[in-house]
Amino acid sequence: MDQSRDFGINVSTETGTLKRLLIHSPDRGLGKVVPSKAQDWLFEDIVHLDTMRRGEYDYYVKLLLYFLDPEKIKGKLAEIDADETRSFYIPGSEKYFDSDRVVDIQKLLGEILQDSNTRIKLTAAICGIEKCSFRIHEELNTYDPHELAKIFISGSCPDKKMLFAPLPNLIFMRDIGIVINEHILLNKPAKSARTRESILAQFVFFYHPMFAQIRQNLIEIPDNENHFLLPDDEKASDYHRCTLEGGDVMTVAPNHLLIGCSERTSIYAAQQVMKILFEKDIVQKITIIKIPKKRDYMHIDTIFTQVKKNVWVLLGSLARLGDEAKKKDVLHFLAPVDVNKEFRILQFKKGSEQQPKEIENLEELLAEISTEDLGSMEPVQFIYSGDNEFPYGEREQWTDSCNLLALKDGVVIGYDRNDKTLEAFRKKGFTVISAQHLLQEFEAGTLSPDTLTDTFITLPSAELSRARGGSHCMSMPILRES
């Protein structure tokens, strides 16, 4: 590993031009998911691995390279696509693209495992949580670093023998952490199936030279100090458990962080994060968005993401719950007292945490971010999942219509299957173009990533969408232009 390289770590916006991010290509572990364990391993369905990789995710990688590191790919598409082995996409292989801007965490893991002390520590940690026998522990010592990285992630050996469960959710890199200005907030996974992910990420962040300059800026969220004394039913309480995943955290402006309290992120964790960030003077304003604990939503980035400074895509049925709560009809008066408390928005400012401002609805919050935090002079616009047409809003939100990654202001990647949402983008003046077509245009020189504006790039998504996560989930931005 070349420790002299200069790696920038800074994210203070959701739509600033993307310069560096972490990803993870679908690995052989996804091909080991069986129906009886899919839900336990937090995977929605049984996917066809080769289609997911070759026919879908590989387009994602090629697009990212063209926008972030074009020298690695320009003029080489025909050669890359003709290689049946896909070695271009596999860390450790001779033909691997090996970019310092589009970075697979598997590559970083293989690199830190080249150090014998790190390897000993991480192998012991993984064997401990996976309850491996001494013989398996010894067997793991025989593999080279990049193969060991594959085993730690996929759970299986090159001979297809499974040692422990796969980590199918690691393709959703957003959840392992979030960059807040020049700091990285490490996750606390809600489900035990993701514990190994968290340990692997922790070792990468603390031991890889990419993060050496900001090691003091790595933030770990403390558990309730007496959590081991709590009865099991209290440990599961939203007010005692400490769980947080990156899909519930958005750095929307240098001074403003959003945290969702959801199925996966607890109120206790949100409180701890707020306390730490205010004490360290990292942000001045934190907005807590409490959403219903439903599998439909999971994280806040499944119900809204930012497209450009003044444009957001969101689920219409959750956009105006504040206004809906004010309706004075029979159902309103006779409903349980807490019927409208599943969705709430509270905004806290440093120094006045005891007097939070309650924001009535999601649109009001997002408009405020665009105009006040980001200084947008253009009218704020909302694009709704399914064009806000029943039943397409909920149908397409399920397949990640609201989960978009902005490559730069106004240029986003999303799934091709959400037809009504794509039509809504067209109505707002966006060009919709497939990843395959766009790459051909880039190769021919008829279009350029630098000049692209107001564009929705569609990824093929028959298999990816079945995993319940979109392009926003599949990325962990670590450097954006402000």
Side-chain angles (χ1 to χ4, degrees):
M1 293 178 288
D2 181 1
Q3 300 196 25
S4 66
R5 292 175 295 185
D6 178 29
F7 294 105
I9 308 291
N10 193 310
V11 175
S12 58
T13 169
E14 278 279 303
T15 63
T17 300
L18 191 58
K19 293 295 185 179
R20 184 171 292 120
L21 83 168
L22 297 185
I23 60 167
H24 177 58
S25 292
D27 59 77
R28 63 195 180 204
L30 275 80
K32 304 292 194 304
V33 176
V34 294
S36 59
K37 291 296 291 181
Q39 293 292 324
D40 290 345
W41 293 341
L42 309 179
F43 228 58
E44 197 63 38
D45 204 348
I46 307 303
V47 300
H48 187 257
L49 179 57
D50 192 56
T51 302
M52 176 184 267
R53 287 199 289 211
R54 196 182 304 272
E56 299 178 357
Y57 194 93
D58 287 357
Y59 283 106
Y60 185 57
V61 175
K62 288 184 281 193
L63 282 171
L64 291 172
L65 286 171
Y66 240 113
F67 276 86
L68 277 65
D69 203 353
E71 290 183 5
K72 298 289 185 180
I73 193 168
K74 188 169 178 60
K76 303 174 185 177
L77 277 184
E79 177 188 346
I80 293 166
D81 292 344
D83 181 7
E84 291 295 320
T85 68
R86 293 184 61 258
S87 58
F88 180 79
Y89 304 97
I90 302 172
S93 70
E94 186 179 347
K95 295 182 180 180
Y96 179 55
F97 65 80
D98 199 20
S99 170
D100 288 333
R101 296 187 176 276
V102 180
V103 187
D104 195 316
I105 196 172
Q106 183 177 307
K107 169 199 167 183
L108 303 185
L109 185 58
E111 289 175 346
I112 67 169
L113 287 170
Q114 291 171 12
D115 177 78
S116 58
N117 288 331
T118 305
R119 179 178 178 132
I120 288 169
K121 293 176 184 176
L122 182 53
T123 303
I126 297 301
C127 287
I129 63 167
E130 298 295 349
K131 300 180 175 63
C132 295
S133 68
F134 183 78
R135 291 182 185 276
I136 289 177
H137 195 155
E138 291 292 289
E139 180 185 342
L140 290 172
N141 289 328
T142 67
Y143 292 101
D144 72 75
H146 284 290
E147 188 56 51
L148 186 58
K150 292 180 187 177
I151 293 170
F152 283 162
I153 290 172
S154 69
S156 59
C157 299
D159 63 3
K160 301 182 180 179
K161 177 176 68 175
M162 291 186 72
L163 299 181
F164 25 77
L167 296 177
N169 286 273
L170 194 57
I171 64 170
F172 303 128
M173 283 299 300
R174 179 76 52 156
D175 288 335
I176 69 169
I178 198 79
V179 179
I180 307 168
N181 296 325
E182 295 180 344
H183 294 71
I184 299 180
L185 178 66
L186 276 61
N187 84 335
K188 300 273 287 188
K191 307 292 184 180
S192 59
R194 303 195 78 168
T195 301
R196 195 163 85 246
E197 283 181 53
S198 184
I199 291 174
L200 295 177
Q202 184 183 56
F203 268 74
V204 166
F205 290 136
F206 276 100
Y207 286 100
H208 198 281
M210 175 178 283
F211 306 101
Q213 299 303 312
I214 55 106
R215 194 162 291 160
Q216 71 280 6
N217 292 354
L218 296 173
I219 300 171
E220 297 182 278
I221 312 166
D223 275 309
N224 184 324
E225 61 182 10
N226 296 317
H227 69 97
F228 53 87
L229 297 176
L230 295 170
D232 287 344
D233 60 339
E234 288 189 32
K235 282 184 184 179
S237 164
D238 212 28
Y239 300 95
H240 293 295
R241 70 187 179 109
C242 189
T243 64
L244 177 139
E245 295 183 1
D248 276 319
V249 186
M250 293 184 190
T251 309
V252 291
N255 69 326
H256 192 180
L257 189 75
L258 307 185
I259 304 177
C261 291
S262 65
E263 181 189 51
R264 303 286 180 85
T265 296
S266 67
I267 293 172
Y268 181 85
Q271 175 182 278
Q272 294 304 304
V273 170
M274 184 165 67
K275 179 181 177 183
I276 293 169
L277 297 186
F278 282 164
E279 285 178 352
K280 291 181 176 290
D281 202 29
I282 296 170
V283 295
Q284 303 301 308
K285 183 165 56 176
I286 294 177
T287 300
I288 308 293
I289 306 169
K290 184 173 180 284
I291 64 175
K293 296 181 187 303
K294 294 176 65 177
R295 178 65 174 154
D296 307 32
Y297 308 143
M298 197 185 328
H299 297 130
I300 59 170
D301 73 355
T302 69
I303 60 173
F304 70 91
T305 46
Q306 193 170 9
V307 176
K308 56 190 300 188
K309 274 188 177 182
N310 67 313
V311 181
W312 303 78
V313 60
L314 66 162
L315 177 63
S317 61
L318 286 183
R320 291 197 166 276
L321 280 191
D323 291 343
E324 289 296 316
K326 293 179 179 178
K327 288 183 178 178
K328 303 297 184 181
D329 55 20
V330 173
L331 290 176
H332 173 87
F333 287 116
L334 297 181
V337 173
D338 63 350
V339 70
N340 293 310
K341 292 185 179 178
E342 273 197 297
F343 191 99
R344 291 187 70 191
I345 302 172
L346 290 177
Q347 190 169 96
F348 298 82
K349 292 187 177 179
K350 183 183 175 183
S352 57
E353 294 92 325
Q354 301 307 312
Q355 294 90 36
K357 176 176 77 171
E358 183 146 17
I359 296 174
E360 288 294 336
N361 60 67
L362 192 53
E363 290 176 4
E364 182 182 333
L365 168 66
L366 303 183
E368 179 184 285
I369 292 168
S370 291
T371 56
E372 297 183 17
D373 295 327
L374 300 175
S376 175
M377 303 302 291
E378 299 180 72
V380 178
Q381 298 186 61
F382 300 109
I383 299 173
Y384 297 100
S385 174
D387 205 12
N388 218 17
E389 182 180 338
F390 179 81
Y392 304 106
E394 282 71 18
R395 277 178 57 87
E396 296 191 2
Q397 181 270 334
W398 179 262
T399 49
D400 297 296
S401 60
C402 298
N403 192 267
L404 309 181
L405 173 68
L407 298 172
K408 60 180 183 177
D409 203 53
V411 178
V412 294
I413 302 179
Y415 287 159
D416 63 355
R417 63 181 295 154
N418 297 315
D419 300 327
K420 294 285 186 179
T421 307
L422 293 174
E423 186 57 37
F425 269 84
R426 289 189 185 97
K427 290 177 182 178
K428 293 291 186 180
F430 280 75
T431 298
V432 176
I433 186 170
S434 73
Q436 183 176 13
H437 185 196
L438 184 60
L439 289 166
Q440 291 169 353
E441 298 281 357
F442 285 165
E443 282 286 89
T446 51
L447 287 176
S448 166
D450 295 333
T451 57
L452 220 57
T453 59
D454 289 2
T455 302
F456 190 119
I457 307 167
T458 62
L459 279 182
S461 56
E463 297 300 312
L464 281 171
S465 66
R466 294 163 67 189
R468 294 286 286 120
S471 57
H472 195 268
C473 289
M474 294 190 301
S475 67
M476 181 185 168
I478 54 178
L479 180 62
R480 283 188 185 271
E481 283 185 353
S482 299

